[in-house]
Amino acid sequence: MASKPIIIPDNNNNYSIEQLSVPTHYREYLSNVMIPRGLIKDRIEKLAQEIHEDYQDKSIHLVCVLKGGEKIFADLTNSLHTLNSRYGQKSIPITHDFIKASSYINTQTSGSVNVSTDHKQLESLKDKHILLVEDIIDTGKTIVALKEIISKHNPKSLKVISLLIKRINHSNGFVPDYCGFSIPNEFVVGYCLDYNEHFRDLQHICVLNTLGKNSFKA
Ligand code: HPA
Ligand code: MG
């Protein structure tokens, strides 16, 4: 059974840039740290335990949604591999693939979802227990489009894990099966989440400030 996401409250300025280790080339562009990387990793470890329990006697085909899903995918697979090597425990075969989806320009969704895949890749999803690995869900458009494409190719099951879900008014109501954190409606970067391809190399999830939005505009 999946646990509820950890709720990061609105106006949560708990962690300042000064109190944690943040690369100097980004400091002036961030207003605060929203989720420190240690907490991200701890939460993913817990989600991996839940997934491991839920998929006993099955195998999992993880489909990482690039580029933002890369970090959660890496930490999740590491945790699952560790669980698999526990002495005397049942282990679960894990395979994976990558799919690329994008819709964002600056802090706005472009409205159209671009998914790059091919027929061969989609065919290979047939009869597998697919777990889509996402970084963030906000409008829900990308994930719904992806699920639609994949489900046409007859997977045995299809679930979604997302590190973040953003609390916004114009969401389509999509709720992932596994979710790390519910976050306020702010534009966040780091842990592979980007703003026009910048900030992916920041380890914590941070709130981008106005100077950051202006300086890295597309
Ligand atoms: N940050 C980065 N990418 C995103 C976000 C965000 O807050 N929302 C949707 N895609
Ligand atoms: Mg994503």
Side-chain angles (χ1 to χ4, degrees):
M1 264 282 287
S3 55
K4 289 190 185 129
I6 292 174
I7 295 175
I8 308 292
D10 291 350
N11 307 313
N12 167 68
N13 303 320
N14 258 358
Y15 312 106
S16 81
I17 301 299
E18 285 69 41
Q19 288 169 311
L20 292 165
S21 154
V22 173
T24 48
H25 63 284
Y26 284 147
R27 297 176 78 94
E28 62 185 304
Y29 306 118
L30 305 169
S31 51
N32 61 284
V33 175
M34 185 185 278
I35 316 174
R37 73 169 172 166
L39 182 55
I40 301 170
K41 286 176 186 284
D42 284 337
R43 181 69 185 132
I44 293 173
E45 197 174 305
K46 173 66 180 175
L47 292 174
Q49 288 168 3
E50 293 171 356
I51 290 164
H52 204 266
E53 272 178 26
D54 292 350
Y55 285 81
Q56 291 282 311
D57 303 314
K58 297 188 179 92
S59 52
I60 311 178
H61 188 62
L62 296 166
V63 178
C64 169
V65 185
L66 292 172
K67 296 176 185 173
E70 187 201 325
K71 279 249 191 205
I72 173 185
F73 169 78
D75 284 335
L76 181 69
T77 44
N78 270 340
S79 290
L80 288 171
H81 294 164
T82 303
L83 290 166
N84 266 350
S85 33
R86 279 186 312 188
Y87 179 74
Q89 293 286 323
K90 264 198 182 168
S91 61
I92 298 168
I94 297 165
T95 52
H96 72 262
D97 204 349
F98 299 98
I99 199 163
K100 198 168 167 194
S102 57
S103 69
Y104 265 71
I105 300 166
N106 295 327
T107 59
Q108 298 297 316
T109 176
S110 64
S112 63
V113 180
N114 298 313
V115 178
S116 37
T117 180
D118 56 52
H119 195 67
K120 203 167 152 222
Q121 182 180 36
L122 289 169
E123 285 287 289
S124 74
L125 304 174
K126 190 173 184 288
D127 288 335
K128 290 188 177 142
H129 292 288
I130 311 287
L131 182 57
L132 271 171
V133 184
E134 262 286 16
D135 52 352
I136 187 165
I137 289 165
D138 70 351
T139 64
K141 272 188 194 155
T142 305
I143 194 67
V144 165
L146 268 174
K147 274 193 89 172
E148 235 165 61
I149 294 169
I150 291 176
S151 47
K152 280 187 193 141
H153 292 80
N154 303 317
K156 209 173 246 169
S157 69
L158 177 53
K159 286 192 181 187
V160 174
I161 177 171
S162 179
L163 180 64
L164 308 174
I165 188 162
K166 203 186 274 192
R167 297 189 296 276
I168 59 168
N169 293 330
H170 54 291
S171 137
N172 62 9
F174 181 85
V175 177
D177 300 275
Y178 305 92
C179 185
F181 302 88
S182 161
I183 65 164
N185 188 7
E186 297 189 81
F187 200 84
V188 289
V189 291
Y191 195 76
C192 251
L193 283 114
D194 75 308
Y195 175 70
N196 297 327
E197 296 300 326
H198 300 278
F199 300 96
R200 292 196 197 272
D201 56 331
L202 175 65
Q203 308 229 46
H204 313 292
I205 291 177
C206 299
V207 179
L208 191 64
N209 66 20
T210 309
L211 180 65
K213 284 177 192 167
N214 292 333
S215 305
F216 296 94
K217 245 197 182 100

